[in-house]
Amino acid sequence: MIHHYDEPIYLISIVAKVLDIHPQTLRQYERENLITPSRSSGKIRLYSQKDIDRIKLILRLTRELGVNLAGVDVILRLKENVENMEQDIKELKNDLLKARNSQTVSNDKALVTKKSIYEMIIFED
């Protein structure tokens, strides 16, 4: 059976065993808001492969690089911000390419900006 990357299927005991850490470590990461596993209807923590990959990154930062949990939090937030900005840039490039291909506005007369939604500003001569 194939599971999706975000699908919560692993119990805390399995994740702890696979990653060779104590379940209490996972609970601490959750208290520090570094991870947020899903919960079953019976309040049992369930982890996805995405959660496990995030935990592996946390372990790499703490064990190999000596980063404390506050530093891990900052790094993870910055990483998320960069990923969001990269996605925004990709969408803006796509919007700009569409505008160029439609040839309704010359390349030097348009500016695409992102506020709550994307806007295209056309400069008149």
Side-chain angles (χ1 to χ4, degrees):
M1 180 181 220
I2 297 175
H3 298 283
H4 296 286
Y5 187 60
D6 289 336
E7 188 177 353
I9 57 169
Y10 303 104
L11 297 171
I12 191 168
S13 58
I14 301 298
V15 174
K17 185 172 184 155
V18 166
L19 298 177
D20 193 29
I21 57 176
H22 197 280
Q24 198 59 36
T25 303
L26 294 169
R27 292 184 190 100
Q28 180 184 8
Y29 291 171
E30 186 178 357
R31 279 192 304 275
E32 300 279 343
N33 292 316
L34 298 175
I35 57 173
T36 44
S38 299
R39 298 281 182 148
S40 70
S41 55
K43 304 281 188 195
I44 295 172
R45 290 173 178 87
L46 293 173
Y47 297 84
S48 66
Q49 185 60 50
K50 182 178 180 180
D51 294 326
I52 292 172
D53 289 345
R54 185 174 175 98
I55 295 162
K56 286 179 181 177
L57 175 59
I58 294 167
L59 292 171
R60 197 171 328 117
L61 290 169
T62 56
R63 289 176 176 172
E64 295 174 22
L65 300 176
V67 178
N68 65 22
L69 293 183
V72 169
D73 184 44
V74 170
I75 291 167
L76 291 177
R77 280 198 249 163
L78 287 172
K79 182 180 180 293
E80 190 175 302
N81 286 345
V82 168
E83 288 168 354
N84 289 338
M85 285 187 238
E86 286 173 343
Q87 183 61 36
D88 288 347
I89 289 169
K90 184 179 176 183
E91 290 171 11
L92 287 168
K93 284 181 176 179
N94 192 34
D95 290 347
L96 189 57
L97 184 61
K98 284 180 188 174
R100 284 184 179 152
N101 288 341
S102 70
Q103 297 181 353
T104 55
V105 180
S106 67
N107 295 343
D108 61 338
K109 302 277 183 188
L111 172 67
V112 178
T113 61
K114 182 181 181 209
K115 295 185 182 178
S116 59
I117 58 170
Y118 289 101
E119 295 180 358
M120 182 172 287
I121 301 168
I122 300 172
F123 299 99
E124 300 293 329
D125 285 333

